Amino acid sequence: MTVYPDHRSSGFATRAVHSGSPHDKTTGAVIPAISLSTTFAQSGVGKPVGAYEYTRSANPNRDNFETAIAALENAKYALAFASGSSTTAVILQSLPIGSHVVSVADVYGGSHRYFTKVANTHGVEVSFTTCLEEDLEKMIRPGKTKLVWVETPSNPTLGLVDLRKVATIAQSQGVSLVVDNTFCSPYIQNPLSHGADIVVHSVTKYINGHSVSVELDLNGREMSVNLNYWQDVIMGVAAFNCPQWNERLTFLQNAIGAVPSAFDCWLAHRGLKTLHLRSQAATKNATAIALALEASDNVICVRYPGIGSHPQRDIAVRQHRDGMGGGMLSFRLKGGREAAHAFCQNTKIFTLAESLGGIESLCEVPAGMTHAGISKEEREESGVYDDLVRLSCGIEDTQDLIIDVLHAIKKAVMSTGNGIL
Ligand SMILES: *Cc1c(COP(=O)(O)O)cnc(C)c1O
């Protein structure tokens, strides 16, 4: 579906609140209704009454969401999918048999799984590099390499990629640059403005922004801080400017049918309207926590692109809005694996859970959770040691989060008998 983004000349917040949110022409409803109908009446054979025929092909709520994302990513087109993973799958499936893709080594685990275990079954080969800027030129196979796949910041070590540099190398060889922008969200980084051809998101994370369902008892009290936290929306989106990509991916969106429900589009669109406020609050919290961690004798190192100690801080300053670091950070704790595990069991506000980007703060140990499927050797090569803790900072009070983190470090250090009290 071709999207006609509106509010283009407005600032981000105005676009977030108003793009793709037309008032209802008949009722005046300020927020669009949820169009749950899967099919739409036709006045004659092949003559739909309005713009819609069948919800897999297009739906009003999906169109509204896509319009809003296109406006926030400075794109002409956006297409929503059933998950971030299916967005990746559809882009890879758009390539002809025999295609080759170059990817950064520390991509999201699910992308790595698709690249290594599924893409090969439809004749697409993916090669990985830990040093994209240096290796890309010699890794490109003329005529065969179609895509470069980048995540910046990387997960969970928060390494950055200079998008302009990579885009220049890729495009000089006719290769398209895809950027998974999940970690930054469109508020902090707009990859298309730095030369990327396609930007993708797991909408599940920052864009929707509300990941946790907490069980309540009959008196409304929290019954359990259960570890099986789930997202209230799983969804993905791709945005781009090129009409050929639009034609190909729109065709596959309908042909493969990995589309989100109207209800999920509506929920994700509601979440998106506060993205700027949530990103600002998460960045403020992550920055304060990163500095507090750096000052702790029990922390080996902190990885956060929003502060001066990050080795690629200059890239963050160029690529991120106001040099903001976003809500994600990771750090290595003295006392090894045991200390990292104990830390995550001793936080009171940070919940031990996978996922990220929600209003609530989460912590995890990548080596034992999100990145457990990767061999120790390969993990450590990209900096994912057993003592590495990843934090997704939410929008709670800064001081409460700092106290929580420092308290959990103290407990972890005491329980393992390592480190300095
Ligand atoms: C979660 C995630 C994905 C996959 O998205 P789903 O919506 O869970 O399928 C892709 N990339 C990154 C960076 C992610 O964090």
Side-chain angles (χ1 to χ4, degrees):
M1 170 85 199
T2 302
V3 168
Y4 300 97
D6 48 359
H7 301 282
R8 271 322 163 90
S9 55
S10 308
F12 188 96
T14 307
R15 278 178 278 146
V17 173
H18 293 290
S19 295
S21 290
H23 297 168
D24 190 281
K25 283 197 195 76
T26 30
T27 66
V30 171
I31 297 296
I34 308 175
S35 293
L36 290 176
S37 188
T38 53
T39 189
F40 296 82
Q42 309 206 2
S43 59
V45 174
K47 292 202 187 83
V49 174
Y52 302 97
E53 292 171 35
Y54 185 62
T55 276
R56 173 164 35 76
S57 317
N59 169 280
N61 297 104
R62 198 171 89 204
D63 275 359
N64 287 342
F65 175 79
E66 290 172 343
T67 301
I69 289 292
L72 297 186
E73 280 291 12
N74 304 327
K76 282 205 182 79
Y77 313 99
L79 294 170
F81 295 91
S83 62
S85 305
S86 61
T87 311
T88 304
V90 167
I91 292 171
L92 271 282
Q93 286 187 42
S94 75
L95 304 176
I97 289 180
S99 295
H100 172 243
V101 173
V102 177
S103 170
V104 289
D106 41 6
V107 276
Y108 174 70
S111 307
H112 191 269
R113 180 171 53 215
Y114 191 92
F115 291 166
T116 52
K117 299 205 161 77
V118 187
N120 54 346
T121 65
H122 54 87
V124 173
E125 190 192 340
V126 184
S127 326
F128 299 91
T129 164
T130 51
C131 200
L132 185 69
E133 282 106 325
E134 268 176 41
D135 295 346
L136 180 58
E137 198 142 24
K138 57 180 186 287
M139 287 178 81
I140 289 177
R141 303 176 191 166
K144 291 233 170 215
T145 306
K146 303 289 184 199
L147 294 181
V148 179
W149 194 279
V150 169
E151 260 176 55
T152 177
S154 67
N155 175 21
T157 52
L158 286 299
L160 302 182
V161 172
D162 185 332
L163 293 179
R164 181 62 66 187
K165 197 167 172 182
V166 170
T168 306
I169 299 168
Q171 286 152 9
S172 71
Q173 310 269 346
V175 178
S176 297
L177 172 62
V178 185
V179 177
D180 181 336
N181 198 27
T182 301
F183 264 45
C184 272
S185 90
Y187 181 67
I188 291 179
Q189 179 172 257
N190 291 128
L192 301 184
S193 307
H194 300 283
D197 298 280
I198 300 178
V199 53
V200 300
H201 286 277
S202 168
V203 171
T204 316
K205 317 292 168 50
Y206 281 101
I207 292 175
N208 181 59
H210 298 74
S211 54
V212 174
S213 301
V214 179
E215 287 180 31
L216 302 177
D217 71 10
L218 292 173
N219 299 315
R221 286 186 307 250
E222 256 182 51
M223 220 163 64
S224 61
V225 178
N226 76 57
L227 299 184
N228 297 317
Y229 275 33
W230 58 89
Q231 271 73 29
D232 61 15
V233 171
I234 296 273
M235 218 169 117
V237 74
F240 37 84
N241 282 312
C242 162
Q244 284 82 28
W245 273 116
N246 186 46
E247 199 177 312
R248 244 191 300 177
L249 296 177
T250 302
F251 173 79
L252 291 175
Q253 184 193 39
N254 182 48
I256 294 174
V259 292
S261 74
F263 187 51
D264 280 357
C265 291
W266 187 90
L267 276 176
H269 196 173
R270 180 170 73 167
L272 169 158
K273 288 168 194 274
T274 55
L275 175 61
H276 50 292
L277 301 176
R278 291 184 284 105
S279 296
Q280 287 160 9
T283 295
K284 176 169 172 262
N285 284 341
T287 306
I289 292 167
L291 294 174
L293 286 168
E294 265 193 344
S296 167
D297 290 330
N298 293 307
V299 170
I300 299 169
C301 64
V302 178
R303 304 212 167 93
Y304 182 61
I307 57 175
S309 60
H310 192 283
Q312 296 155 306
R313 175 69 187 143
D314 59 313
I315 299 179
V317 168
R318 270 203 309 281
Q319 256 167 222
H320 297 183
R321 178 188 302 272
D322 303 329
M324 292 168 83
M328 301 299 297
L329 67 90
S330 57
F331 64 98
R332 292 183 63 193
L333 200 49
K334 286 184 187 162
R337 177 178 175 276
E338 286 70 31
H341 286 209
F343 171 87
C344 291
Q345 278 153 16
N346 279 294
T347 50
K348 293 191 161 45
I349 301 173
F350 279 85
T351 297
L352 174 57
E354 295 188 1
S355 197
L356 61 116
I359 51 175
E360 55 290 307
S361 293
L362 305 177
C363 60
E364 67 129 355
V365 178
M369 295 169 68
T370 46
H371 293 63
I374 307 169
S375 74
K376 188 175 165 79
E377 202 175 55
E378 221 180 308
R379 253 195 286 118
E380 295 194 345
E381 205 175 308
S382 48
V384 187
Y385 296 94
D386 288 347
D387 56 12
L388 186 80
V389 176
R390 187 185 83 175
L391 300 181
S392 171
C393 301
I395 64 168
E396 301 93 334
D397 285 298
T398 310
Q399 202 53 33
D400 291 338
L401 294 181
I402 292 177
I403 291 169
D404 194 34
V405 165
L406 295 181
H407 174 260
I409 288 180
K410 204 166 151 188
K411 290 276 250 190
V413 166
M414 277 195 319
S415 69
T416 56
N418 288 300
I420 302 146
L421 275 180

